[in-house]
Amino acid sequence: MATEFSVREIPFSRFGAWFALSPVVGLASYAEEVHLVSHRNGMHPMLSFVPLLDGEQVPVEVTADPATLTWHTGPRRVTAVFSSPDALRISGTGLGMLVSATQRTLTPFTGTYFFADPAGGLVFTSYETGHRLRLTVLSGQWRQVGEQGLGTADRGVFLSEDEPWELLVEELGTARSFSRPSTAFDDDVTAVREEF
């Protein structure tokens, strides 16, 4: 059996990851619920995780070991595991979960913008970290709230306890990776002229 630890003392993360799950949201500052906290450009709580039962927040016990973090009450549970340093998988049975932006207010310089990506998934863009978190619901019932909301709004995803569910959270850089063209400059000019 793996050694359990308190996430109030040790954040749940994985070697190479720039984010963790923890109720510690700042220097000597603790939240009631577990947050996804980014350590890029400082310490920034980006998402909160609130366990739900019948649409209401439910008290749970949170336990962690080196491989998993679990929210549970009786047989109802939600378990998280880092499948890689930039990907967190979360699976729930009997408990729902609200995953929402920690800051309700979005300004041109702070907060988290939330939108549905046409390519798939729901994306939270953090102005403070310069990175994005893409949430992909792999199974289960869910609904979103506050997509493209500006100013002060609730932004998040509700996962229902009515059936088992699974969610993938991926950290994405906002910049495109460096590339080298595979054609000569003059060939591109010719191709565009022919296309026109």
Side-chain angles (χ1 to χ4, degrees), residues 58-128:
V58 61
V60 294
E61 184 177 352
V62 177
T63 57
D65 63 47
T68 62
L69 179 140
T70 303
W71 296 260
H72 54 93
T73 179
R76 302 172 185 274
R77 64 186 52 250
V78 173
T79 303
V81 61
F82 276 87
S83 56
S84 71
D86 60 0
L88 179 70
R89 292 180 73 172
I90 306 172
S91 175
T93 303
L95 273 179
M97 183 73 75
L98 168 60
V99 182
S100 63
T102 301
Q103 294 181 27
R104 292 190 69 242
T105 301
L106 178 66
T107 75
F109 306 102
T110 62
T112 305
Y113 183 68
F114 177 53
F115 67 96
D117 188 339
L122 303 163
V123 179
F124 290 90
T125 301
S126 169
Y127 291 172
E128 288 86 0

Side-chain angles (χ1 to χ4, degrees), residues 24-88:
V24 180
V25 294
L27 180 61
S29 181
Y30 297 85
E32 288 295 316
E33 59 277 337
V34 171
H35 283 67
L36 185 148
V37 179
S38 174
H39 295 281
R40 293 188 184 274
N41 302 321
M43 182 177 183
H44 304 283
M46 293 176 60
L47 301 177
S48 67
F49 294 87
V50 177
L52 302 173
L53 189 57
D54 298 323
E56 299 293 326
Q57 185 170 356
V58 61
V60 294
E61 184 177 352
V62 177
T63 57
D65 63 47
T68 62
L69 179 140
T70 303
W71 296 260
H72 54 93
T73 179
R76 302 172 185 274
R77 64 186 52 250
V78 173
T79 303
V81 61
F82 276 87
S83 56
S84 71
D86 60 0
L88 179 70

